[in-house]
Amino acid sequence: CPACKGENKIVLRVDGKQMNLLAVLEVRAEGNENWGRFLRFKKGKRCSLVFGLMIMTLVMASYILSGAHQELLISSPFHYGAFPSNPSLMDGENPSDTKEHHHQPSVNNISYVKDYPSIKLIINSITARIEFTTRQLPDREDLKKQELHMFSVIPNKFLPNSKSPCWYEEFTGRNTTDPYLTNSYVLYSKRFRSTFDALRKAFWGHLSHASGKHFRLRCLPRFYIIGQPKCGTTDLYDRLRLHPEVKFSAIKEPHWWTRKRFGIVRLRDGLRDRYPVEDYLDLFDLAAHQIHQGLQAGSAKEESRMTRILIGEASASTMWDNNAWTFFYDNSTDGEPPFLTQDFIHAFQPDAKLIVMLRDPVERLYSDYLYFASSNKSADDFHEKVTEALQLFENCMLDYSLRACVYNNTLNNAMPVRLQVGLYAVYLLDWLAVFNKEQFLILRLEDHASNVKYTMHRVFQFLNLGPLGEKQETLMTKSPASNARRPEDRNLGPMWPVTQRILQDFYGPFNTRLAQVLADEAFAWRKT
């Protein structure tokens, strides 16, 4: 010991820190003294030493045992980092992350366990106020008043010989006119300029000419993957677009129905100019060019191949994000939004097909936190943010209805984690009030994880897609999962068991209602 001035001192340390819980035990080595000296200690000193060793042994044993149990036998004053989990067990949208976790971390802070009863009271308060009510639907004229320009652009009827909803629109520009000059997606995102450069070069060759006028084919999606985020939608999108009959928008997630048409890029950054519906329709020009080629084809075979193209869109915000309504629509009774995204989609496409991918909302929230949190990510930080979000949600529920709180823009922006996104039953019931149940295909990421081939076959059947060749199907089903969790996030390990228990208590009533609506107990996620 360099600081002991010639004395030989043995100081017990834990995690590199001096052990201050007990008196520091010192053993002086003087000449040829041996352990027989111990017997000549006074009786009181011997008892003190033995007692100290016993206490120290219990503390250390408590710490060791806590690695396998959720509670400490004796709470230690020292702070230990979480044990790293097996990276192969935790993946964000990777289907492999839905396997059962056999590794259980220790509770990092015993106060979390002690605080559970008080948090449970908050959850009980929320649960007591849950009421799934039916919303009053607006009529078409009310919708038209809100979006006059949209209704002037999209027609009431589409071409009968195309599987996707398409129509011809007069193009008044010249052959030197840039059709994408003012497109907001091009102006605000450099990533997609190359895509639009290619469309620009081919644009004039895909016009129809009649009576001295020029017409371009416009299309909307036939189907939408509407949600939810961090539930495997990217993986589903990447596999589905490998089917030759499917063409997606130029941008995977345009977020037009929920954000861009209101001028929202990031809500915290304020509002920009609204993206007109023409900017959204431009995203489907690549598919429209191919469908137009089929409509103009000389052979029936070529026409059949091209007109069978099915256009899709995969914005994972479509199902749940209605944060913009407070800025553009008059408030309704009790703070509930008078118009929702599905009202407008249904007004133009009452026969649209809708695909939803869901997962255990508890795991979804943790994956969402790891993906969007920028710094100081940890199981501790997640637990604290969950607790804060529950308190905020309860405060809203004390004064407003469930629907008003779920769609409350101020509350959603204040939430440190996106707790509301996992309330699947609330959103789905509002969609089912507008669309028929037969128009939905609702999948679980857990099932997709265990059998990708079966999931994709269900999607093909739902969309009435043609069969794939053996090589195409192998490529689609055997390719690695998309949007997997980042290695640095995997190293953080799972959430604390007490946090998981809290979230299971919170989401439980909503999952139960979802399972009832879908007549499938798997959506209760009692065993994930």
Side-chain angles (χ1 to χ4, degrees), residues 131-158:
E131 185 178 359
F132 298 99
T133 59
T134 302
R135 63 182 287 257
Q136 183 177 356
L137 300 180
D139 58 37
R140 185 179 177 88
E141 289 304 313
D142 290 334
L143 295 171
K144 191 173 182 180
K145 291 177 183 178
Q146 301 298 326
E147 297 286 355
L148 287 172
H149 180 67
M150 191 193 311
F151 278 83
S152 70
V153 173
I154 302 176
N156 294 326
K157 295 182 179 180
F158 305 114

Side-chain angles (χ1 to χ4, degrees), residues 62-75 83 103-114 116 495-502 504:
S62 169
Y63 165 63
I64 293 170
L65 289 172
S66 69
H69 301 283
Q70 295 180 17
E71 298 181 0
L72 295 172
L73 301 179
I74 299 178
S75 59
F83 294 111
H103 175 78
Q104 290 294 335
S106 64
V107 177
N108 198 30
N109 191 330
I110 191 65
S111 65
Y112 293 162
V113 177
K114 292 181 179 178
Y116 174 77
M495 73 186 84
W496 298 130
V498 66
T499 315
Q500 185 181 47
R501 183 181 176 188
I502 288 168
Q504 287 172 342

Side-chain angles (χ1 to χ4, degrees), residues 25 38 44-57:
L25 301 179
F38 175 79
K45 290 185 177 181
R46 291 203 305 269
C47 291
S48 297
L49 180 58
V50 172
F51 180 76
L53 289 171
M54 290 175 62
I55 295 297
M56 183 186 68
T57 302

Side-chain angles (χ1 to χ4, degrees), residues 240-302:
L240 188 54
R241 67 177 179 162
L242 296 176
H243 197 291
E245 294 178 15
V246 174
K247 301 296 178 184
F248 279 97
S249 52
I251 300 171
K252 187 256 178 182
E253 294 187 270
H255 296 298
W256 185 80
W257 290 102
T258 56
R259 300 171 186 171
K260 300 301 193 298
R261 70 185 175 104
F262 300 107
I264 295 174
V265 177
R266 293 182 181 87
L267 195 57
R268 64 178 179 270
D269 296 336
L271 301 176
R272 296 183 179 180
D273 293 336
R274 301 179 70 174
Y275 289 31
V277 65
E278 290 89 346
D279 290 1
Y280 180 61
L281 296 175
D282 286 347
L283 301 180
F284 307 103
D285 273 5
L286 182 60
H289 290 173
Q290 296 184 40
I291 295 173
H292 168 74
Q293 184 179 342
L295 294 173
Q296 302 296 317
S299 66
K301 182 178 180 180
E302 180 69 8

Side-chain angles (χ1 to χ4, degrees), residues 157-178:
K157 295 182 179 180
F158 305 114
L159 296 175
N161 51 347
S162 172
K163 287 183 67 175
S164 295
C166 299
W167 68 97
Y168 278 104
E169 169 188 284
E170 184 178 358
F171 179 71
T172 56
R174 300 180 179 180
N175 60 356
T176 57
T177 302
D178 182 357

Side-chain angles (χ1 to χ4, degrees), residues 112-346:
Y112 293 162
V113 177
K114 292 181 179 178
D115 289 343
Y116 174 77
S118 61
I119 299 174
K120 180 63 175 175
L121 290 176
I122 295 174
I123 296 173
N124 290 342
S125 173
I126 294 172
T127 302
R129 292 170 172 80
I130 294 175
E131 185 178 359
F132 298 99
T133 59
T134 302
R135 63 182 287 257
Q136 183 177 356
L137 300 180
D139 58 37
R140 185 179 177 88
E141 289 304 313
D142 290 334
L143 295 171
K144 191 173 182 180
K145 291 177 183 178
Q146 301 298 326
E147 297 286 355
L148 287 172
H149 180 67
M150 191 193 311
F151 278 83
S152 70
V153 173
I154 302 176
N156 294 326
K157 295 182 179 180
F158 305 114
L159 296 175
N161 51 347
S162 172
K163 287 183 67 175
S164 295
C166 299
W167 68 97
Y168 278 104
E169 169 188 284
E170 184 178 358
F171 179 71
T172 56
R174 300 180 179 180
N175 60 356
T176 57
T177 302
D178 182 357
Y180 308 110
L181 181 64
T182 60
N183 186 289
S184 298
Y185 286 101
V186 181
L187 295 176
Y188 291 118
S189 180
K190 296 180 180 179
R191 288 188 301 156
F192 306 111
R193 290 180 184 176
S194 59
T195 300
F196 282 100
D197 284 342
L199 288 171
R200 191 178 292 109
K201 293 177 182 178
F203 181 81
W204 194 259
H206 290 89
L207 294 180
S208 178
H209 310 280
S211 303
K213 295 182 179 181
H214 313 296
F215 299 89
R216 66 187 297 186
L217 189 68
R218 288 294 207 178
C219 297
L220 281 168
R222 177 69 175 91
F223 71 93
Y224 296 84
I225 300 176
I226 63 175
Q228 290 287 65
K230 309 312 295 178
C231 289
T233 56
T234 298
D235 187 72
L236 179 62
Y237 161 84
D238 282 338
R239 296 182 193 279
L240 188 54
R241 67 177 179 162
L242 296 176
H243 197 291
E245 294 178 15
V246 174
K247 301 296 178 184
F248 279 97
S249 52
I251 300 171
K252 187 256 178 182
E253 294 187 270
H255 296 298
W256 185 80
W257 290 102
T258 56
R259 300 171 186 171
K260 300 301 193 298
R261 70 185 175 104
F262 300 107
I264 295 174
V265 177
R266 293 182 181 87
L267 195 57
R268 64 178 179 270
D269 296 336
L271 301 176
R272 296 183 179 180
D273 293 336
R274 301 179 70 174
Y275 289 31
V277 65
E278 290 89 346
D279 290 1
Y280 180 61
L281 296 175
D282 286 347
L283 301 180
F284 307 103
D285 273 5
L286 182 60
H289 290 173
Q290 296 184 40
I291 295 173
H292 168 74
Q293 184 179 342
L295 294 173
Q296 302 296 317
S299 66
K301 182 178 180 180
E302 180 69 8
E303 178 181 354
S304 175
R305 185 174 70 88
M306 292 300 183
T307 55
R308 289 182 63 186
I309 288 176
L310 209 62
I311 300 177
E313 201 251 73
S315 298
S317 65
T318 306
M319 180 175 176
W320 65 275
D321 190 349
N322 284 273
N323 282 322
W325 76 269
T326 54
F327 298 105
F328 294 93
Y329 305 140
D330 293 334
N331 205 342
S332 63
T333 306
D334 298 326
E336 295 187 9
F339 309 104
L340 295 176
T341 297
Q342 54 265 40
D343 299 330
F344 293 96
I345 295 178
H346 183 269

